[in-house]
């Protein structure tokens, strides 16, 4: 067991440096399967979703050399299998990117249905729609997605809903498809653009990533590349929310402020001062936060991955806020845990009605998924007294050195590995 023990009530202050983007790197790593040479990838976050993906690639035959904690060299030329079994793919949602990459390289992929955080039904019909438009046939047998093609050809694809996963996956498969692929109603998230940039750095011809239509001219091969992953928009947003909830003052470094615009605007709306610099943002929280309305939406809208952290902040505002989740149907599971800390939140269907309270109080809570786990840590940091946050393996999927970074800001958080350490941490904090 690993658990965070947190004593709240201290405003977090200082500087924090943001790591590479999880949702970019979990696609960039499978994308190296398409390369005919070694790739060097920098700014890789040291998180468990990345270790899981590296492990899968390693087992498939990729040679991986760590240059340092956040840089690897990866040579996928010796991969000779297009099958990924359930034991491996269940470890993370992003294992679905192996389908697009293997299909691109071998015209054949057999990958078990992906795992990941449970946020409601997470279909992959749009990924399949895209692969089939490129000329592949798909079967789902015994939990395996089996996709194969004689050859892949360019196509015009309209996605029925905006999907990060489908956009990236079809982009991976279409890189080698003969002729031109036009993808419409695509996701525009920064990590979609980053994956396109990575593929282009290897010789792909992808235009329009970050806009409504992506156009791909198929190429015959990709060479190696030396690439640095963009900073993580959601990790940055999480620390920005932490500043707000703890009435702190945090300089969030190594970010692309443009990617944080809509989070910054929301924080300004609720009374925070947000200053933007070239590669940093500073959030200075007021004594009293104001309520607001939030609706999650694909980029450049307000990210669903910031919804739980935002509810925590609004739970401490003076007045009532409304937060509507439009991307995932089951992303309010943490609310019951938050209520145990004294929050006043009611969920009706996809909407949370948040009535601000004066303060939260420490409690033992369980992280139900990655972002909700981070949100509960924020709640605990703002609360009076001691909290325990259990199931932190979810948080470790997506936040590098989370507790260490929080301690650097003056947060009192300890990661305990057994009940004895937990009792010791509780006693220390109680003094
Ligand atoms: N959808 C479909 N059919 C599909 C694909 C998606 O109906 O074929 C629906 C989903 O059910 C959802 C919506 O479309 O309602 C958007 O899903 P999307 O495909 O964009 O999500 P995803 O690819 O499964 C990625 C991130 C999530 C992030 C979402 C939305 C990765 C590995 N995961 O998931 O990240 O919440 O995009 O931005 O990139 C996280 O980091 O905590 C996380 C959950």
């Amino acid at each position: 067991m690993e658990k965070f023990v947190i004593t709240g009530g201290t405003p977090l202050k200082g500087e924090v440096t943001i790591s590479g983007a999880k949702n970019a790197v979990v696609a960039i790593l499978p994308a190296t399967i398409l390369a005919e040479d070694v790739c060097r990838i920098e700014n890789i976050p040291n998180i468990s979703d990345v270790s899981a993906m590296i492990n899968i690639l390693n087992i498939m035959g990729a040679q991986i050399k760590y240059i340092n904690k956040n840089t690897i060299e990866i040579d996928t030329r010796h991969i000779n299998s297009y099958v990924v079994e359930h034991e491996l793919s269940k470890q993370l949602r992003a294992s679905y990117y192996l389908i697009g990459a293997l299909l691109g390289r071998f015209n054949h992929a057999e990958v078990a249905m992906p795992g990941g955080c449970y946020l409601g039904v997470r279909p992959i019909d749009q990924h399949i729609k895209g692969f089939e438009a490129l000329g592949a046939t798909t079967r789902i047998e015994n939990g395996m997605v089996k996709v194969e093609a004689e050859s892949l050809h360019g196509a015009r694809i309209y996605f029925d809903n905006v999907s990060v996963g489908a956009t990236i996956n079809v982009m991976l498969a279409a890189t080698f498809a003969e002729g031109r692929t036009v993808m419409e109603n695509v996701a525009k998230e920064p990590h979609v653009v980053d994956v396109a940039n990575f593929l282009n750095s290897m010789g792909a011809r992808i235009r329009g990533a970050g806009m409504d239509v992506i156009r791909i001219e198929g190429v015959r091969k990709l060479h190696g590349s030396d690439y640095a992953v963009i900073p993580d928009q959601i990790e940055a947003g999480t620390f920005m929310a932490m500043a707000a909830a703890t009435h702190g003052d945090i300089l969030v470094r190594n970010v692309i402020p443009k990617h944080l615009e809509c989070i910054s605007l929301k924080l300004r709306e609720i009374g925070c001062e947000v200053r933007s610099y070239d590669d940093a943002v500073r959030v200075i929280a007021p004594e009293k936060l104001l309520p607001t309305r939030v609706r999650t939406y694909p980029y450049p809208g307000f990210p669903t991955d910031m919804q739980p952290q935002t509810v925590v902040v609004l739970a401490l505002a003076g007045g009532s806020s409304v937060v509507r989740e439009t991307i995932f149907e089951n992303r309010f599971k943490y609310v019951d845990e938050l209520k145990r800390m004294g929050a006043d939140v009611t969920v009706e269907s996809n909407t949370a009605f948040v009535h601000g309270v004066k303060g939260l109080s420490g409690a033992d809570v369980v992280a139900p998924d990655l972002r909700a786990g981070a949100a509960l840590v924020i709640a605990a940091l703002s609360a009076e007294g001691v909290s325990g946050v259990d199931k932190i393996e979810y948080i470790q999927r997506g936040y590098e050195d989370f507790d260490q970074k929080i301690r650097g800001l003056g947060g009192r958080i300890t990661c305990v590995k057994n009940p004895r350490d937990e009792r010791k941490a509780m006693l220390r904090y109680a003094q």
Side-chain angles (χ1 to χ4, degrees), residues 314-383:
L314 296 177
L316 294 158
S320 297
S321 302
V322 180
V323 179
R324 185 176 296 172
E325 170 60 59
T326 72
I327 310 289
F328 291 113
E329 68 203 25
N330 202 352
R331 215 165 192 183
F332 284 123
K333 280 174 297 178
Y334 64 92
V335 164
D336 283 341
E337 299 298 294
L338 200 54
K339 283 184 181 170
R340 289 152 54 73
M341 301 175 108
D344 182 359
V345 183
T346 318
V347 177
E348 278 175 33
S349 170
N350 69 345
T351 306
F353 298 91
V354 189
H355 308 289
V357 292
K358 278 219 159 56
L360 300 175
S361 55
D364 270 322
V365 292
V366 180
D369 59 64
L370 164 60
R371 305 302 171 187
L376 291 171
V377 168
I378 296 178
L381 288 164
S382 77

Side-chain angles (χ1 to χ4, degrees), residues 78-98:
H78 304 290
I79 290 182
N80 54 18
S81 162
Y82 49 73
V83 181
V84 184
E85 299 291 353
H86 180 67
E87 274 316 298
L88 294 175
S89 79
K90 74 174 182 194
Q91 295 173 23
L92 77 166
R93 180 82 195 149
S95 46
Y96 52 38
Y97 291 134
L98 294 162

Side-chain angles (χ1 to χ4, degrees), residues 4 6 234 238 242 305 308-309 312 367-381 389 394-395 399 402 406:
F4 287 144
I6 299 166
I234 305 299
T238 301
M242 213 177 273
D305 290 347
Q309 303 89 314
V312 168
D369 59 64
L370 164 60
R371 305 302 171 187
L376 291 171
V377 168
I378 296 178
L381 288 164
V389 179
Y394 283 118
I395 301 172
Y399 291 90
F402 198 42
I406 293 170

Side-chain angles (χ1 to χ4, degrees), residues 22-23 26 93-94 96-97 117 119 121-127 161-166 189 191 304-305 327-328 331 370-371:
K22 168 181 90 85
N23 289 343
V26 293
R93 180 82 195 149
Y96 52 38
Y97 291 134
C117 288
L119 308 173
V121 189
R122 296 179 76 176
I124 57 163
D125 58 301
Q126 296 305 305
H127 304 228
N161 57 300
V162 177
S163 159
V164 168
E189 269 67 3
H191 30 285
T304 171
D305 290 347
I327 310 289
F328 291 113
R331 215 165 192 183
L370 164 60
R371 305 302 171 187

Side-chain angles (χ1 to χ4, degrees), residues 12 239-245 247-252 260-261 263-277 280-290 313:
L12 296 201
F239 280 98
M240 292 166 79
M242 213 177 273
H247 304 288
D249 176 351
I250 301 181
L251 181 68
V252 186
L260 303 170
E261 250 167 25
I263 301 167
S264 300
L265 285 172
K266 247 333 137 193
L267 288 174
R268 284 192 187 118
E269 249 174 61
I270 64 166
C272 294
E273 184 182 337
V274 183
R275 296 186 195 161
S276 279
Y277 304 96
V281 289
R282 180 172 168 192
V283 179
I284 307 165
E287 221 13 76
K288 281 205 173 86
L289 297 164
L290 305 171
V313 175

